[in-house]
Short mmCIF file of all heavy atoms in Angstrom, two decimals:
data_model
loop_
_atom_site.label_atom_id
_atom_site.label_comp_id
_atom_site.label_asym_id
_atom_site.label_seq_id
_atom_site.Cartn_x
_atom_site.Cartn_y
_atom_site.Cartn_z
N MET A 53 0.23 -2.48 20.64
CA MET A 53 -0.01 -1.92 19.31
C MET A 53 -0.88 -0.69 19.40
O MET A 53 -1.58 -0.33 18.44
CB MET A 53 -0.73 -3.01 18.45
CG MET A 53 0.14 -4.20 18.23
SD MET A 53 1.43 -3.94 16.99
CE MET A 53 0.42 -3.85 15.49
N TYR A 55 -1.71 3.19 19.45
CA TYR A 55 -1.17 4.40 18.85
C TYR A 55 -1.40 5.52 19.86
O TYR A 55 -2.49 5.71 20.33
CB TYR A 55 -1.91 4.77 17.58
CG TYR A 55 -0.99 5.26 16.48
CD1 TYR A 55 -0.95 4.62 15.27
CD2 TYR A 55 -0.21 6.37 16.67
CE1 TYR A 55 -0.10 5.03 14.26
CE2 TYR A 55 0.63 6.83 15.67
CZ TYR A 55 0.68 6.17 14.46
OH TYR A 55 1.50 6.62 13.46
N SER A 59 1.51 11.35 19.94
CA SER A 59 2.62 11.07 19.04
C SER A 59 2.10 11.03 17.59
O SER A 59 2.77 11.41 16.68
CB SER A 59 3.25 9.77 19.38
OG SER A 59 2.46 8.68 18.95
N THR A 63 3.54 13.06 14.70
CA THR A 63 4.01 12.31 13.53
C THR A 63 3.49 12.94 12.25
O THR A 63 4.23 13.12 11.30
CB THR A 63 3.50 10.87 13.59
OG1 THR A 63 4.07 10.26 14.76
CG2 THR A 63 3.91 10.09 12.37
N LEU A 64 2.25 13.19 12.23
CA LEU A 64 1.66 13.65 10.96
C LEU A 64 1.83 15.13 10.72
O LEU A 64 1.43 15.64 9.70
CB LEU A 64 0.15 13.29 10.92
CG LEU A 64 -0.14 11.80 10.76
CD1 LEU A 64 -1.62 11.56 10.78
CD2 LEU A 64 0.47 11.28 9.48
N ARG A 95 -6.35 7.97 -12.79
CA ARG A 95 -6.95 6.62 -12.79
C ARG A 95 -8.46 6.71 -13.08
O ARG A 95 -9.11 7.70 -12.73
CB ARG A 95 -6.70 5.92 -11.45
CG ARG A 95 -5.20 5.76 -11.17
CD ARG A 95 -4.93 4.89 -9.99
NE ARG A 95 -3.45 4.73 -9.87
CZ ARG A 95 -2.72 5.40 -8.99
NH1 ARG A 95 -3.28 6.24 -8.13
NH2 ARG A 95 -1.40 5.25 -8.94
N ARG A 120 -2.45 12.48 3.23
CA ARG A 120 -1.14 11.80 3.09
C ARG A 120 -1.29 10.62 2.13
O ARG A 120 -0.33 10.25 1.45
CB ARG A 120 -0.68 11.36 4.50
CG ARG A 120 0.63 10.62 4.51
CD ARG A 120 1.76 11.41 5.14
NE ARG A 120 2.96 10.60 5.08
CZ ARG A 120 3.63 10.15 6.11
NH1 ARG A 120 3.26 10.44 7.35
NH2 ARG A 120 4.73 9.43 5.95
N GLY A 285 -5.34 -7.99 -0.16
CA GLY A 285 -4.42 -8.97 -0.73
C GLY A 285 -3.98 -10.03 0.24
O GLY A 285 -3.37 -11.01 -0.14
N ARG A 286 -4.33 -9.83 1.51
CA ARG A 286 -4.01 -10.91 2.48
C ARG A 286 -5.20 -11.75 2.82
O ARG A 286 -5.11 -12.71 3.55
CB ARG A 286 -3.45 -10.25 3.82
CG ARG A 286 -2.26 -9.39 3.61
CD ARG A 286 -1.53 -9.21 4.93
NE ARG A 286 -0.66 -8.05 4.93
CZ ARG A 286 0.15 -7.73 5.92
NH1 ARG A 286 0.13 -8.48 7.02
NH2 ARG A 286 0.92 -6.66 5.85
N ASP A 317 -4.67 2.07 15.39
CA ASP A 317 -3.34 2.18 14.80
C ASP A 317 -3.50 1.85 13.32
O ASP A 317 -2.88 0.97 12.77
CB ASP A 317 -2.46 1.14 15.50
CG ASP A 317 -1.09 1.00 14.84
OD1 ASP A 317 -0.66 1.96 14.20
OD2 ASP A 317 -0.45 -0.06 15.02
N ALA A 320 -0.85 2.49 8.95
CA ALA A 320 0.00 1.69 8.06
C ALA A 320 -0.83 0.68 7.26
O ALA A 320 -0.61 0.47 6.08
CB ALA A 320 1.07 0.96 8.87
N ALA A 323 -2.68 2.47 4.62
CA ALA A 323 -1.76 2.84 3.55
C ALA A 323 -1.47 1.66 2.65
O ALA A 323 -1.41 1.74 1.44
CB ALA A 323 -0.43 3.35 4.16
N GLU A 324 -1.28 0.48 3.27
CA GLU A 324 -1.01 -0.75 2.47
C GLU A 324 -2.19 -0.99 1.55
O GLU A 324 -2.00 -1.36 0.39
CB GLU A 324 -0.76 -1.91 3.40
CG GLU A 324 -0.28 -3.17 2.65
CD GLU A 324 0.00 -4.34 3.59
OE1 GLU A 324 0.45 -4.10 4.76
OE2 GLU A 324 -0.23 -5.48 3.18
N GLY A 327 -2.34 1.52 -1.30
CA GLY A 327 -1.31 1.17 -2.28
C GLY A 327 -1.74 -0.04 -3.13
O GLY A 327 -1.55 -0.05 -4.37
N TYR A 328 -2.36 -0.99 -2.49
CA TYR A 328 -2.81 -2.18 -3.17
C TYR A 328 -3.78 -1.81 -4.31
O TYR A 328 -3.64 -2.30 -5.43
CB TYR A 328 -3.50 -3.15 -2.18
CG TYR A 328 -3.82 -4.52 -2.76
CD1 TYR A 328 -3.02 -5.56 -2.63
CD2 TYR A 328 -5.01 -4.66 -3.50
CE1 TYR A 328 -3.29 -6.79 -3.18
CE2 TYR A 328 -5.34 -5.87 -4.07
CZ TYR A 328 -4.48 -6.96 -3.90
OH TYR A 328 -4.78 -8.15 -4.46
N GLY A 331 -1.96 -0.01 -7.12
CA GLY A 331 -1.14 -0.93 -7.89
C GLY A 331 -2.00 -1.79 -8.84
O GLY A 331 -1.67 -1.99 -10.01
N ASP A 334 -3.34 0.37 -11.67
CA ASP A 334 -2.33 0.71 -12.68
C ASP A 334 -1.98 -0.57 -13.51
O ASP A 334 -1.66 -0.42 -14.71
CB ASP A 334 -1.03 1.22 -12.03
CG ASP A 334 -1.25 2.61 -11.47
OD1 ASP A 334 -2.29 3.25 -11.76
OD2 ASP A 334 -0.37 3.13 -10.80
N MET B 24 6.69 16.52 10.78
CA MET B 24 6.56 15.17 10.23
C MET B 24 7.63 14.23 10.83
O MET B 24 7.97 13.22 10.29
CB MET B 24 6.72 15.18 8.69
CG MET B 24 5.64 15.98 8.02
SD MET B 24 4.07 15.09 7.98
CE MET B 24 4.43 13.81 6.82
N TYR B 26 9.11 11.46 13.31
CA TYR B 26 8.58 10.29 14.02
C TYR B 26 9.32 10.24 15.36
O TYR B 26 10.54 10.27 15.40
CB TYR B 26 8.86 9.03 13.24
CG TYR B 26 7.69 8.06 13.25
CD1 TYR B 26 7.09 7.66 12.09
CD2 TYR B 26 7.21 7.56 14.49
CE1 TYR B 26 6.04 6.79 12.08
CE2 TYR B 26 6.16 6.66 14.48
CZ TYR B 26 5.57 6.32 13.30
OH TYR B 26 4.50 5.43 13.31
N SER B 30 7.70 6.73 20.62
CA SER B 30 6.30 6.49 20.26
C SER B 30 6.20 5.41 19.18
O SER B 30 5.30 4.62 19.14
CB SER B 30 5.58 7.74 19.78
OG SER B 30 5.99 8.05 18.48
N THR B 34 4.17 2.20 19.37
CA THR B 34 3.21 1.94 18.31
C THR B 34 3.25 0.52 17.79
O THR B 34 2.27 -0.15 17.64
CB THR B 34 3.45 2.91 17.13
OG1 THR B 34 3.32 4.23 17.60
CG2 THR B 34 2.51 2.64 16.03
N LEU B 35 4.48 0.12 17.49
CA LEU B 35 4.62 -1.16 16.85
C LEU B 35 4.62 -2.33 17.83
O LEU B 35 4.65 -3.48 17.45
CB LEU B 35 5.92 -1.20 16.04
CG LEU B 35 5.91 -0.36 14.81
CD1 LEU B 35 7.24 -0.49 14.05
CD2 LEU B 35 4.79 -0.77 13.86
N ARG B 66 2.51 -15.59 -4.28
CA ARG B 66 2.84 -14.78 -5.47
C ARG B 66 4.10 -15.31 -6.15
O ARG B 66 4.99 -15.84 -5.47
CB ARG B 66 3.00 -13.34 -5.07
CG ARG B 66 1.67 -12.74 -4.51
CD ARG B 66 1.71 -11.27 -4.28
NE ARG B 66 0.40 -10.87 -3.78
CZ ARG B 66 0.16 -10.56 -2.50
NH1 ARG B 66 1.11 -10.59 -1.60
NH2 ARG B 66 -1.05 -10.23 -2.13
N ARG B 91 5.40 -6.67 9.99
CA ARG B 91 4.07 -6.08 9.85
C ARG B 91 3.67 -5.96 8.38
O ARG B 91 2.49 -6.09 8.04
CB ARG B 91 4.07 -4.69 10.55
CG ARG B 91 2.75 -4.02 10.51
CD ARG B 91 2.12 -3.85 11.85
NE ARG B 91 0.82 -3.19 11.75
CZ ARG B 91 0.49 -2.05 12.28
NH1 ARG B 91 1.36 -1.43 13.08
NH2 ARG B 91 -0.68 -1.51 12.07
N GLY B 256 3.52 4.43 -7.72
CA GLY B 256 2.32 4.83 -8.39
C GLY B 256 2.10 6.34 -8.43
O GLY B 256 1.26 6.82 -9.14
N ARG B 257 2.93 7.08 -7.67
CA ARG B 257 2.82 8.54 -7.72
C ARG B 257 3.90 9.14 -8.58
O ARG B 257 3.94 10.35 -8.80
CB ARG B 257 2.92 9.10 -6.29
CG ARG B 257 1.84 8.59 -5.33
CD ARG B 257 1.72 9.50 -4.14
NE ARG B 257 1.06 8.84 -3.02
CZ ARG B 257 0.79 9.50 -1.90
NH1 ARG B 257 1.07 10.77 -1.73
NH2 ARG B 257 0.18 8.87 -0.90
N ASP B 288 10.18 8.76 9.05
CA ASP B 288 8.72 8.47 9.22
C ASP B 288 8.29 7.61 8.06
O ASP B 288 7.40 7.94 7.36
CB ASP B 288 8.03 9.82 9.24
CG ASP B 288 6.54 9.67 9.29
OD1 ASP B 288 6.03 8.62 9.71
OD2 ASP B 288 5.80 10.63 8.88
N ALA B 291 4.42 4.52 6.86
CA ALA B 291 3.18 4.56 6.06
C ALA B 291 3.48 4.58 4.55
O ALA B 291 2.84 3.85 3.78
CB ALA B 291 2.38 5.80 6.40
N ALA B 294 4.54 1.14 3.55
CA ALA B 294 3.34 0.27 3.52
C ALA B 294 2.55 0.48 2.25
O ALA B 294 2.07 -0.45 1.61
CB ALA B 294 2.45 0.59 4.73
N GLU B 295 2.42 1.77 1.88
CA GLU B 295 1.70 2.05 0.62
C GLU B 295 2.37 1.42 -0.57
O GLU B 295 1.74 0.80 -1.45
CB GLU B 295 1.57 3.57 0.43
CG GLU B 295 0.71 3.96 -0.75
CD GLU B 295 0.57 5.48 -0.90
OE1 GLU B 295 0.61 6.23 0.08
OE2 GLU B 295 0.46 5.92 -2.09
N GLY B 298 1.90 -2.38 -0.52
CA GLY B 298 0.56 -2.66 -1.01
C GLY B 298 0.47 -2.54 -2.51
O GLY B 298 -0.14 -3.35 -3.21
N TYR B 299 1.09 -1.50 -3.02
CA TYR B 299 1.07 -1.24 -4.46
C TYR B 299 1.58 -2.48 -5.26
O TYR B 299 0.97 -2.93 -6.23
CB TYR B 299 1.86 0.00 -4.80
CG TYR B 299 1.79 0.42 -6.25
CD1 TYR B 299 0.91 1.42 -6.62
CD2 TYR B 299 2.59 -0.17 -7.23
CE1 TYR B 299 0.80 1.81 -7.96
CE2 TYR B 299 2.49 0.20 -8.56
CZ TYR B 299 1.60 1.18 -8.91
OH TYR B 299 1.51 1.55 -10.26
N GLY B 302 -0.80 -5.40 -4.98
CA GLY B 302 -1.96 -5.24 -5.81
C GLY B 302 -1.67 -5.43 -7.29
O GLY B 302 -2.40 -6.10 -8.03
N ASP B 305 -1.09 -9.16 -7.92
CA ASP B 305 -2.33 -9.92 -7.96
C ASP B 305 -3.15 -9.61 -9.23
O ASP B 305 -3.88 -10.48 -9.69
CB ASP B 305 -3.19 -9.62 -6.70
CG ASP B 305 -2.59 -10.23 -5.44
OD1 ASP B 305 -1.64 -11.01 -5.59
OD2 ASP B 305 -3.05 -9.95 -4.33
#
Side-chain angles (χ1 to χ4, degrees):
Chain A
M53 296 284 288
Y55 220 120
S59 76
T63 299
L64 289 180
R95 298 189 178 103
R120 180 112 182 244
R286 301 198 200 185
D317 173 23
E324 187 179 328
Y328 187 96
D334 288 352
Chain B
M24 297 285 288
Y26 221 120
S30 76
T34 299
L35 289 180
R66 297 189 179 104
R91 181 114 181 241
R257 302 198 199 185
D288 173 22
E295 186 179 330
Y299 186 97
D305 288 352

